[in-house]
């Protein structure tokens, strides 16, 4: 088996400054990729950028609020101008609002949809135009187990991530002719700054661990990152249009 390598490739990771995004950026760099960090606050990514440069990789830091699509298109163009291409796109930015379905407002629904679904589609679209010109590439969307099962109190989030999973299939089928592969990963609860408040509740954490039916533990960012790196690379050259659960067995239950 050939070693996993992304030598000579350029990857763009959105929301890369912390949590899963940070782990993905580091793992891609460790496997040879130059990395563009798409972040809301470039100062927050300074330490990460220095770490990746210390690995001998090139780094670009671009301001990307994924709800501002015009700015995102400009940021993508800036990455191509600075690093020459984008071979790998990781759509990591996302989030949700916890509330009962009876209480979801139109404003909250639109906020979650724009953050998780609309941004993933249109950032992918613009990057794919560059990839088509270059002869191909790999897009990996960070979906969620919430796109595969119902999580009470997270209806708008579940819907948005289910749409990302089906979007992954649609784009894979359309863009395969250009050599562009499109896949997704669907993580369970992972230890990050974002999940810390919920997981600090002992009853919630115990219930979550119980529902992760096979392994009964919370995930780690590096475990998501490893799957993303695999899907980005040549080892996954015949894999497209799939959503890989990284859920410890939650959705198998």
């Amino acid at each position: 088996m050939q070693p996993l390598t992304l030598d000579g490739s350029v990857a763009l990771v959105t929301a890369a400054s912390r949590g899963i995004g940070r782990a993905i950026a580091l793992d891609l760099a460790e496997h040879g990729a130059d990395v563009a960090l798409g972040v809301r606050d470039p100062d927050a990514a300074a330490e990460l950028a220095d770490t990746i440069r210390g690995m001998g990789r090139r780094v670009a830091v671009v301001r990307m609020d994924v709800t501002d699509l015009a700015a995102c298109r400009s940021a993508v163009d800036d990455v191509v101008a600075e690093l020459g291409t984008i071979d790998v796109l990781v759509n990591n930015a996302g989030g949700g609002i916890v509330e009962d379905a009876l209480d979801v407002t139109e404003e909250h629904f639109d906020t979650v949809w724009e953050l998780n679904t609309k941004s993933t589609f249109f950032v992918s679209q613009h990057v794919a135009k560059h990839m088509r010109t270059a002869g191909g590439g790999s897009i990996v969307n960070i979906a969620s187990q919430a796109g595969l099962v119902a999580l009470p109190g997270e209806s708008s989030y579940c819907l948005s991530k289910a749409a990302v999973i089906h979007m992954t299939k649609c784009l894979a089928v359309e863009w395969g002719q250009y050599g562009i592969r499109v896949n997704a990963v669907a993580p369970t609860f992972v230890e990050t700054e974002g999940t810390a408040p919920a997981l600090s509740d002992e009853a919630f954490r115990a219930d979550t661990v119980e529902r992760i039916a096979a392994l009964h533990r919370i995930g780690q960012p590096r475990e998501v990152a490893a799957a993303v790196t695999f899907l980005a690379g040549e080892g996954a050259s015949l894999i497209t249009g799939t959503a890989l659960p990284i859920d410890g067995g939650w959705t198998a239950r």
Side-chain angles (χ1 to χ4, degrees):
M1 181 180 293
Q2 288 185 324
L4 177 58
T5 178
L6 294 169
D7 288 349
S9 65
V10 174
L12 168 60
V13 183
T14 66
S17 62
R18 63 177 190 163
I20 291 174
R22 175 188 172 85
I24 290 169
L26 287 171
D27 201 70
L28 291 168
E30 287 171 0
H31 287 88
D34 297 324
V35 183
L37 308 174
V39 293
R40 284 188 172 187
D41 177 9
D43 291 340
E47 180 271 334
L48 175 60
D50 287 342
T51 298
I52 294 173
R53 289 189 188 98
M55 300 176 182
R57 312 298 179 217
R58 294 184 299 160
V59 180
V61 180
V62 291
R63 189 184 300 276
M64 290 186 74
D65 175 348
V66 296
T67 63
D68 184 344
L69 293 174
C72 285
R73 293 183 185 103
S74 294
V76 166
D77 294 343
D78 289 344
V79 170
V80 173
E82 182 172 349
L83 299 181
T85 189
I86 297 175
D87 303 292
V88 177
L89 167 65
V90 183
N91 286 303
N92 172 65
I97 299 173
V98 178
E99 55 192 345
D100 189 272
L102 288 172
D103 299 321
V104 174
T105 65
E106 186 175 351
E107 179 185 8
H108 285 175
F109 186 95
D110 289 347
T111 295
V112 174
W113 185 265
E114 288 183 11
L115 180 59
N116 293 334
T117 314
K118 184 177 179 180
S119 69
T120 296
F121 182 89
F122 283 105
V123 172
S124 295
Q125 180 192 68
H126 196 63
V127 171
K129 291 176 181 178
H130 287 286
M131 288 180 170
R132 177 178 60 182
T133 299
S138 176
I139 297 173
V140 184
N141 298 321
I142 308 303
S144 170
Q145 67 179 17
L148 300 169
V149 295
L151 300 180
E154 299 188 48
S155 58
S156 58
Y157 181 73
C158 290
L159 288 166
S160 70
K161 290 298 189 178
V164 168
I165 289 171
H166 197 68
M167 179 199 310
T168 297
K169 298 177 182 180
C170 293
L171 300 185
V173 170
E174 285 202 31
W175 296 347
Q177 62 184 312
Y178 308 122
I180 301 170
R181 295 184 299 105
V182 188
N183 291 292
V185 296
T188 187
F189 286 90
V190 174
E191 298 271 13
T192 68
E193 298 94 328
T195 60
L199 292 174
S200 66
D201 181 295
E202 292 185 8
F204 180 86
R205 187 182 187 95
D207 181 65
T208 298
V209 169
E210 172 58 26
R211 288 176 183 275
I212 299 175
L215 300 182
H216 297 293
R217 64 175 177 82
I218 306 300
Q220 297 299 316
R222 59 178 173 75
E223 295 176 301
V224 179
V228 171
T229 298
F230 167 70
L231 289 172
E234 282 301 309
S237 58
L238 197 59
I239 301 174
T240 195
T242 192
L244 174 64
I246 308 174
D247 65 353
W250 183 306
T251 59
R253 187 168 185 167

